Amino acid sequence: MANVNAGHHDHHPDQEELRTFAFWIYLMTDVILFATLFATYIVLQGSTDGGPGPKELFQMNGIYASTFILLTSSFTSGLAILAMNKGNRLALMNWLGVTIFLGASFLFLEINEFIHMVSEGATIGTSAFLTAFYTLVGTHGLHVTLGIGWMIIVIMQIAKHGITPVTKRKVNIISLFWHFLDVVWIFVFTIVYVMGVN
Amino acid sequence: MWESVKEFASEFFVTGDPLIYGADVSIVLSIIAIVSVLTYFKKWGWLWREWLTTVDHKKIGIMYILASVLMLFRGGVDALLMRAQLVMPEMQFLSGDHYNQIFTTHGVIMILFMAMPLMFGLFNVIVPLQLGARDVAFPFLNALSFWLFFSGAMLFNLSFVIGGSPDAGWLAYPPYSELAFNPGPGQDFYIWGIQISGIGSLMTGINFIVTILKVRAPGMTLMKMPMFSWSVLSSCIAIVFAFPILTVTLALLFIDRYLGGHFFTLDGGGNPMMYINLIWMWGHPEVYIIVLPAFGIFSEIVATFSRKKLFGYKSMVFAMIIISVLSFLVWAHHFFTMGSGADVNAFFAVTTMLIAIPTGVKVFNWLFTMFRGKITFETPMLWTVGIIPNFVIGGMTGVLLSVAPADFQYHNSYFLIAHFHQVIIAGVVFGFFAGLYYWWPKIFGFKLNERIGRWAFWLWNIGFYLCFMPQYALGLMGMTRRIYTYGWDKGWFEMNLVSTIGAVIMGAAFLVQIWDIAHSIKHMKRDTTGDPWNARTLEWSIPSPAPFYNFAVMPQVTSQDDWHERKLRIEQGLEKPAKVALEPIHMPKNSGIPIVMSMFWFFVGFGLIFDWLWMAVPGFIGVIACMVVHSFNYDTDYYVTVEEIKRTEAEAGRVIT
């Protein structure tokens, strides 16, 4: 990709634009992946098999906190994009760093919640409801983990290459991914937690 | 020490069956043969540089086709073993367990490791050429897709000599596929073999959507795009919507088996019906995913060999899109008898029947294209014409099956088996064969022998009718699928005998095709025109086989069937071959990462199948490491110089000034 701006006229399309477009299609496949998990969760929600249900297990204060943290991290990843568009490399890297920190805090709270639940005897093998719960929420958590690792790699590349068309596209894509995770979390929050305890 | 090794080996390898010992020996012998030939001729470096690390879509396509022909052989042997067991009542050839494994692997291999890669092979070699493109949108991703498919296929195929094959049917319905009823590693081989190759398929879907929507030659609007590319687009859209469902479904089954989950178990509140819904939400679109490109192939061939523009281009496009949408609204017709209730059954019966309408539109369009055309019957056209009655019968029995009340009679019977083999063999396999004969000269630079090709065509078709027509009758006579033996009192002997004879003839037809290829490699003349069929679309405007950069000069498209129109204009003296200045061509560099990363995926799969975390965890770290290395690599392409383009074109017999 070293020759992106070299002068040539052979009609091959802009690689950065293609990749962004492909990422949107990938996101669509991820939407379907989560939709399938949500559908499974909704079907199996009531199948607690005599074990604990949402009302006994969910501690909403922690969930409010982690929701707030994740929404804030979406905002800070937006600030990173603004800094990038202004050409401010240091601010871009800092805002991405803040986003990573918030994402890691979210994960920390989630893992704590899982450990707490397991210590109360609510494991993935307890009932179909819990299998579906851990799988759905855990898949979101895995996506957050992946996003954090990815963001670290992007920061390293910005440090190495600066803001170029390639790193710019990479930042745009990871930010898109991060907002997507936020949207999925809003559904998790509503369908799993809020509707679960009411 | 020796005792524990022996004990491990007797569990790890499948033992006790002479058929499998035979397979062991032939696998070891072929590996030795391949390795020694490569070493003797010092071809390892060549293999690595030219093939294993290639990102050239044409070579990737050839590797897909090669792999799928091997899988057709394996799946075909499975089919012949089954037909041998059923040839007469009270046969003792296979045990019930072995029979279960064979029908499971036959189904999985034929759909996922034969039809899919054959289709991807044709996508790869043809679509960029038809679009006037240098490559697919993402050549690296394309190579990765192929190697993921290959790892998955190898993993799945290992199961019959290591650990034991899956035996829960090609869609692995729970509770049969749950740990409680299926503790062996076979089912895990199924999960990981399909999962790994499925990720590859999903990436191919994304890659080709972007390629078709964004990387067409200047002037080629969507409504001037060749029909095969349209069919690939509609198939890929269905892939992108369907394959994530498969990924999730297999992952959920794995969670049940590995982590003790309860998605689909009978205890713990699980719901097996959820699996059956999910798997068919992928599975039904899947059959349209593989048949739509075949429709595209027929459309290209009918137009070329009738010397006419395709009749009803727009209705063809529209029909294809409707089919790919409707394919998602019919999944419950696979379990009409499982108690969904009358309203649900009625809805799915009607949506299923609706698919017959766009499909009928396509068949009539092919017929009207032939009407008053100057038809010639070279092998590709012969296949296309042969498919029409076949597909019409298969379609009509499909409509019979879609009548929910009647389905209570047909369900799980050989009537169903005959129906889906008729649409899948006659629609998909024969369609891809037609495509292979048609594009063979473009891929390899010479035609296949016509006479042997005709023999293969007739043998395949006669074998096909002999094999499957009796099965419709057997189904109505009460023979259910998946039984491995039956008594003399049933009266099923004669029909089964005929059916087995048909299967053997199809096996012979396959061998004739292999002979056709071998004979043609040796004897057929090189095609110097690049356009041996006098065809209509862009892929025929360049030399055969296409140079690695495809088009020396990017074509400027002005109409549908652009190459045909250009030939006409040149003939009438309205256009002269334009003189264009060559420019350096931007090309992607080869990469070893796809094959290495897929090998790591193989370790992940194999480790998880045998619960060997010491293998799975490093494998997973390797996968991540490959991604990171690729992400940090900014040196992924280069320029082909004008001198090299001139030299390559001159070697292909073309002079460009």
Side-chain angles (χ1 to χ4, degrees):
Chain A
M1 219 42 67
N3 292 310
V4 173
N5 293 319
H8 52 82
H9 313 277
D10 61 351
H11 300 294
H12 78 85
D14 177 14
Q15 269 293 322
E16 308 314 320
E17 189 199 314
L18 283 189
R19 278 157 207 258
T20 308
F21 179 58
F23 194 76
W24 277 102
I25 303 178
Y26 159 75
L27 276 188
M28 221 154 65
T29 68
D30 231 9
V31 167
I32 295 161
L33 183 136
F34 275 107
T36 314
L37 288 172
F38 273 110
T40 313
Y41 178 80
I42 290 166
V43 166
L44 297 174
Q45 204 173 16
S47 306
T48 52
D49 193 38
K55 284 196 177 104
E56 296 99 87
L57 288 171
F58 297 159
Q59 294 177 318
M60 288 309 281
N61 286 338
I63 302 303
Y64 292 137
S66 59
T67 304
F68 179 73
I69 289 170
L70 197 68
L71 294 186
T72 311
S73 78
S74 219
F75 179 66
T76 56
S77 81
L79 291 177
I81 298 278
L82 284 181
M84 179 177 75
N85 289 342
K86 279 191 194 137
N88 190 340
R89 176 163 152 187
L90 194 67
L92 163 62
M93 288 164 71
N94 284 339
W95 282 122
L96 286 180
V98 173
T99 310
I100 290 174
F101 173 75
L102 291 171
S105 314
F106 169 85
L107 269 185
F108 177 78
L109 287 177
E110 182 158 281
I111 292 167
N112 261 343
E113 187 207 3
F114 282 10
I115 290 173
H116 174 76
M117 283 172 67
V118 170
S119 71
E120 287 190 352
T123 68
I124 195 167
T126 305
S127 68
F129 152 67
L130 281 165
T131 316
F133 167 82
Y134 282 114
T135 306
L136 171 59
V137 181
T139 305
H140 178 266
L142 268 180
H143 274 70
V144 174
T145 315
L146 183 78
I148 290 174
W150 190 346
M151 230 180 260
I152 292 170
I153 288 168
V154 171
I155 291 180
M156 288 162 75
Q157 293 180 22
I158 299 165
K160 198 173 160 193
H161 299 280
I163 300 174
T164 68
V166 179
T167 52
K168 218 170 174 170
R169 180 252 309 163
K170 291 192 179 192
V171 174
N172 275 323
I173 282 181
I174 180 67
S175 154
L176 202 59
F177 184 67
W178 202 258
H179 291 312
F180 166 75
L181 293 184
D182 220 41
V183 174
V184 174
W185 180 257
I186 291 169
F187 281 92
V188 173
F189 177 72
T190 316
I191 293 175
V192 176
Y193 290 103
V194 175
M195 287 166 76
V197 293
N198 287 325
Chain B
M1 176 65 190
W2 176 240
E3 277 308 306
S4 61
V5 170
K6 250 168 80 176
E7 195 190 310
F8 167 77
S10 70
E11 277 172 22
F12 188 65
F13 296 106
V14 178
T15 51
D17 190 321
L19 282 173
I20 291 186
Y21 288 135
D24 287 336
V25 171
S26 58
I27 289 171
V28 171
L29 286 181
S30 9
I31 290 174
I32 292 173
I34 292 169
V35 170
S36 41
V37 166
L38 283 172
T39 312
Y40 183 78
F41 290 103
K42 299 201 176 68
K43 287 289 187 191
W44 285 104
W46 165 83
L47 186 69
W48 177 258
R49 280 190 309 274
E50 294 289 318
W51 292 94
L52 303 185
T53 60
T54 188
V55 290
D56 181 344
H57 66 96
K58 300 175 288 296
K59 287 185 174 170
I60 290 172
I62 291 170
M63 290 193 289
Y64 265 121
I65 292 169
L66 199 63
S68 77
V69 171
L70 282 176
M71 290 295 110
L72 177 60
F73 174 75
R74 158 91 210 263
V77 170
D78 281 345
L80 288 175
L81 289 174
M82 279 189 280
R83 283 317 314 172
Q85 169 64 22
L86 294 173
V87 66
M88 57 184 257
E90 288 161 20
M91 274 291 279
Q92 304 286 328
F93 177 56
L94 299 171
S95 68
D97 285 342
H98 199 176
Y99 189 83
N100 290 347
Q101 297 184 357
I102 288 178
F103 73 64
T104 302
T105 50
H106 169 74
V108 173
I109 284 176
M110 286 305 204
I111 299 283
L112 288 159
F113 300 124
M114 188 282 283
M116 289 291 277
L118 192 51
M119 168 177 107
F120 288 151
L122 291 170
F123 284 15
N124 263 293
V125 285
I126 296 310
V127 170
L129 298 180
Q130 277 201 329
L131 298 177
R134 290 265 148 78
D135 205 325
V136 295
F138 309 111
F140 174 89
L141 193 71
N142 198 22
L144 184 58
S145 298
F146 170 75
W147 288 110
L148 284 177
F149 146 72
F150 192 76
S151 298
M154 287 302 110
L155 199 57
F156 185 83
N157 273 279
L158 266 187
S159 67
F160 90 117
V161 289
I162 292 178
S165 295
D167 57 1
W170 83 279
L171 288 180
Y173 280 9
Y176 307 123
S177 56
E178 287 284 356
L179 202 58
F181 302 93
N182 209 328
Q187 198 52 48
D188 298 307
F189 270 114
Y190 172 96
I191 290 172
W192 284 101
I194 296 178
Q195 190 71 294
I196 291 171
S197 68
I199 295 167
S201 305
L202 187 55
M203 296 191 317
T204 303
I206 296 176
N207 206 343
F208 277 85
I209 291 178
V210 178
T211 306
I212 292 170
L213 290 181
K214 296 276 186 184
V215 214
R216 298 190 306 275
M220 186 186 280
T221 58
L222 279 176
M223 279 299 162
K224 286 180 188 145
M225 193 163 77
M227 194 47 72
F228 180 62
S229 294
W230 260 113
S231 70
V232 173
L233 180 63
S234 52
S235 167
C236 285
I237 290 172
I239 288 177
V240 159
F241 281 96
F243 269 74
I245 307 176
L246 176 70
T247 307
V248 172
T249 312
L250 293 172
L252 301 189
L253 186 61
F254 182 71
I255 287 170
D256 270 10
R257 292 176 61 87
Y258 197 75
L259 301 174
H262 291 289
F263 284 113
F264 316 123
T265 56
L266 292 178
D267 60 341
N271 187 347
M273 210 54 218
M274 190 65 201
Y275 181 92
I276 293 167
N277 272 293
L278 288 177
I279 198 79
W280 280 116
M281 278 183 209
W282 159 77
H284 197 85
E286 168 66 11
V287 299
Y288 289 96
I289 287 168
I290 53 179
V291 85
L292 282 168
F295 291 167
I297 293 169
F298 301 147
S299 308
E300 299 283 349
I301 291 176
V302 159
T304 295
F305 293 94
S306 305
R307 311 266 161 251
K308 266 179 74 187
K309 209 176 200 146
L310 184 68
F311 181 90
Y313 177 92
K314 280 185 184 156
S315 63
M316 261 331 200
V317 171
F318 191 62
M320 247 163 338
I321 292 167
I322 294 280
I323 291 173
S324 66
V325 172
L326 280 179
S327 71
F328 283 88
L329 300 177
V330 302
W331 78 88
H333 72 214
H334 293 272
F335 39 92
F336 277 152
T337 63
M338 294 196 199
S340 315
D343 292 336
V344 172
N345 280 0
F347 173 82
F348 285 97
V350 171
T351 48
T352 305
M353 291 170 200
L354 282 180
I355 291 191
I357 297 170
T359 314
V361 166
K362 302 180 85 56
V363 172
F364 280 110
N365 280 343
W366 297 325
L367 293 176
F368 283 126
T369 308
M370 285 188 246
F371 181 64
R372 291 194 172 160
K374 296 192 200 86
I375 306 177
T376 50
F377 286 99
E378 284 95 337
T379 29
M381 185 62 171
L382 202 58
W383 282 99
T384 304
V385 173
I387 283 148
I388 292 176
N390 234 323
F391 203 73
V392 168
I393 302 171
M396 286 194 305
T397 53
V399 175
L400 290 177
L401 279 158
S402 75
V403 180
D407 185 63
F408 279 75
Q409 188 63 35
Y410 307 132
H411 187 76
N412 253 354
S413 77
Y414 263 78
F415 188 89
L416 169 76
I417 303 296
H419 158 72
F420 76 68
H421 281 91
Q422 184 144 30
V423 279
I424 289 181
I425 295 182
V428 177
V429 181
F430 288 4
F432 293 169
F433 283 171
L436 268 185
Y437 281 97
Y438 180 56
W439 282 309
W440 190 275
K442 184 47 61 190
I443 307 173
F444 296 105
F446 56 89
K447 279 192 199 176
L448 287 172
N449 183 294
E450 282 283 322
R451 235 168 75 87
I452 309 175
R454 267 163 221 278
W455 270 96
F457 168 81
W458 286 109
L459 283 174
W460 265 110
N461 272 272
I462 292 166
F464 176 84
Y465 281 99
L466 277 181
C467 184
F468 293 104
M469 292 302 130
Q471 294 188 7
Y472 282 116
L474 281 169
L476 297 178
M477 287 157 76
M479 183 161 157
T480 55
R481 64 168 160 171
R482 292 175 183 157
I483 58 166
Y484 81 105
T485 189
Y486 52 90
W488 285 100
D489 55 329
K490 301 281 190 189
W492 299 341
F493 168 55
E494 294 82 359
M495 294 286 189
N496 271 300
L497 179 68
V498 174
S499 183
T500 300
I501 292 171
V504 172
I505 294 176
M506 282 194 279
F510 174 77
L511 295 180
V512 171
Q513 278 180 312
I514 299 296
W515 176 39
D516 193 3
I517 294 171
H519 179 92
S520 305
I521 289 175
K522 217 173 157 194
H523 296 291
M524 289 303 278
K525 263 197 282 191
R526 230 182 90 86
D527 163 50
T528 50
T529 59
D531 183 18
W533 309 115
N534 189 12
R536 311 173 73 83
T537 41
L538 275 183
E539 73 266 32
W540 303 103
S541 68
I542 51 174
S544 310
F548 62 96
Y549 47 75
N550 296 352
F551 294 86
V553 180
M554 286 314 244
Q556 184 77 38
V557 175
T558 50
S559 57
Q560 214 184 81
D561 289 349
D562 193 67
W563 171 235
H564 172 75
E565 303 290 332
R566 212 191 310 165
K567 280 189 289 189
L568 277 186
R569 286 197 302 271
I570 292 172
E571 212 172 273
Q572 293 161 357
L574 295 175
E575 183 182 315
K576 281 185 184 135
K579 280 192 176 180
V580 215
L582 288 175
E583 284 173 1
I585 296 173
H586 194 203
M587 293 297 287
K589 276 185 183 166
N590 284 2
S591 171
I593 294 177
I595 185 170
V596 173
M597 185 161 151
S598 304
M599 259 156 59
F600 282 123
W601 269 114
F602 183 91
F603 294 139
V604 172
F606 200 83
L608 287 173
I609 288 164
F610 285 97
D611 203 356
W612 292 346
L613 287 182
W614 58 265
M615 185 190 251
V617 171
F620 193 68
I621 292 170
V623 169
I624 302 278
C626 285
M627 286 185 191
V628 173
V629 169
H630 180 62
S631 173
F632 276 92
N633 182 13
Y634 278 54
D635 177 26
T636 53
D637 37 17
Y638 69 103
Y639 278 88
V640 184
T641 59
V642 172
E643 289 71 46
E644 193 180 346
I645 302 169
K646 277 187 182 160
R647 199 167 56 241
T648 316
E649 292 289 313
E651 275 165 23
R654 303 211 170 185
V655 182
I656 291 186
T657 45

